[in-house]
Amino acid sequence: MNIHTPDITAIPERDEAEAALNLLRRWANAASTTEILELDPSVARLVPGGEGVEYPAFERTYPEAFKVDGAYKDTLPDLQNGPSSLIRGAKQQIQHVGISNFRLPLRVETRSGEALTLETSVTGTVSLEADKKGINMSRIMRSFYKHAGETFSFEVIEAALDDYKTDLESFDARIQMRFSFPMQVESLRSGLSGYQYYDIALELVEQAGVRKKIMHLDYVYSSTCPCSLELSEHARATRGQLATPHSQRSVARVSVVLEDDADCLWFEDLIEACRRAVPTETQVMVKREDEQAFAELNAANPIFVEDAARLFCQQLLADVRIGDFRVVASHQESLHSHDAVSVLTEGETFANESIDPKMFATLFHVG
């Protein structure tokens, strides 16, 4: 008598799998939820109407008493520090990867020696080699909190940069801190005073082992068009026709590299250099006599956007504490429906053939 032993390792045909599924469903329709889960929780997914059955039955209460120890921590997955085989896309070096607009209060020293606590937005990036998957972003933030209690200076920024460069095993790195710096400004004639706020950024850049300290300042001023001024005066002189020249709120973004071993360039120093270059800074406190004075000041200092860039340049060239620099000026025309812009650079740091498409769009002062 021949006994045939079925080959249980053979792959079932589709019709056999369908018959088995129907059999399983007939059983499940008559079984309780407990019986289904005891057999296999995944069966619930195969039964119509069984989608609501928990699979698996996870705990839904937050475990407030749970503590993480070293052994548990070692079991946590860390994809960012995984092998290069996990890299998606081209295995190419990334020049800058990190965080932007990480905010915290920092103490900033003024020229008078007073320390101000200012809300600061931090951007921190490092280079990432082609064979590394990613970086641990939280280490950048932890580096800043480590130094957050100190009065900030470029030396403190360098210490923070050293910390996270070491932690992240990177070659190049950059830290940028942005804040609004208050400075008390007197009115032109009334004797009043008020606080002017200046958008300032400090940037520390390290590339190929070379570090640069950079300061950025947005200076807001009024620009009266020289051509419009002359045409207005021509109308008055030749036809007795009252006319007013057009002027507009304008913004210059001045970026300077600080020379090593030079005296400190305070925020106030750079602001005052801009004020010497273009004295028609927008006003804080204004009475009638101040408004008249401002009209006279504008008439005494009419400037095209080309003039503005060169006037700022003249002041920057005269300061031995400043190396390379860039001036980006935008006159937001009241005559035209477009703006007048200019860019002037000195040295290699800011030389760039391409212009960021959004660069001039950021040169707006929100009052």
Side-chain angles (χ1 to χ4, degrees), residues 62-84:
Y62 177 71
E64 294 186 9
F66 178 71
K67 303 294 182 184
V68 175
D69 57 21
Y72 180 81
K73 198 172 180 180
D74 289 340
T75 67
L76 295 175
D78 187 2
L79 294 181
Q80 286 296 79
N81 292 315
S84 59

Side-chain angles (χ1 to χ4, degrees), residues 35-140:
E35 290 174 320
I36 293 174
L37 294 177
E38 286 177 350
L39 175 64
D40 190 328
S42 62
V43 172
R45 297 189 174 208
L46 304 176
V47 179
E51 294 83 358
V53 178
E54 293 185 5
Y55 167 64
F58 291 120
E59 176 59 56
R60 292 177 175 268
T61 304
Y62 177 71
E64 294 186 9
F66 178 71
K67 303 294 182 184
V68 175
D69 57 21
Y72 180 81
K73 198 172 180 180
D74 289 340
T75 67
L76 295 175
D78 187 2
L79 294 181
Q80 286 296 79
N81 292 315
S84 59
S85 60
L86 295 177
I87 292 175
R88 301 188 64 188
K91 289 187 178 180
Q92 193 81 3
Q93 182 189 35
I94 299 176
Q95 284 71 36
H96 294 282
V97 58
I99 60 171
S100 176
N101 200 31
F102 164 56
R103 294 186 297 171
L104 73 167
L106 293 178
R107 287 163 50 86
V108 178
E109 189 175 355
T110 66
R111 187 172 58 185
S112 66
E114 179 187 4
L116 303 176
T117 300
L118 304 175
E119 180 182 305
T120 305
S121 171
V122 177
T123 295
T125 65
V126 295
S127 61
L128 182 65
E129 299 309 302
D131 61 347
K132 290 185 178 180
K133 167 67 174 172
I135 69 168
N136 188 327
M137 301 276 182
S138 68
R139 291 183 183 177
I140 297 177

Side-chain angles (χ1 to χ4, degrees), residues 125-190:
T125 65
V126 295
S127 61
L128 182 65
E129 299 309 302
D131 61 347
K132 290 185 178 180
K133 167 67 174 172
I135 69 168
N136 188 327
M137 301 276 182
S138 68
R139 291 183 183 177
I140 297 177
M141 294 182 282
R142 294 201 302 269
S143 295
F144 276 97
Y145 271 107
K146 180 179 176 181
H147 299 277
E150 305 176 52
T151 300
F152 256 64
S153 63
F154 269 110
E155 288 70 28
V156 177
I157 302 175
E158 286 193 275
L161 183 139
D162 286 336
D163 286 349
Y164 82 71
K165 248 190 70 177
T166 300
D167 288 345
L168 298 173
E169 300 178 344
S170 297
F171 295 104
D172 299 337
R174 170 181 288 151
I175 293 177
Q176 185 183 92
M177 304 192 319
R178 295 184 293 111
F179 48 83
S180 185
F181 180 75
M183 185 173 175
Q184 198 160 20
V185 178
E186 290 189 0
S187 61
L188 294 174
R189 286 181 181 156
S190 66

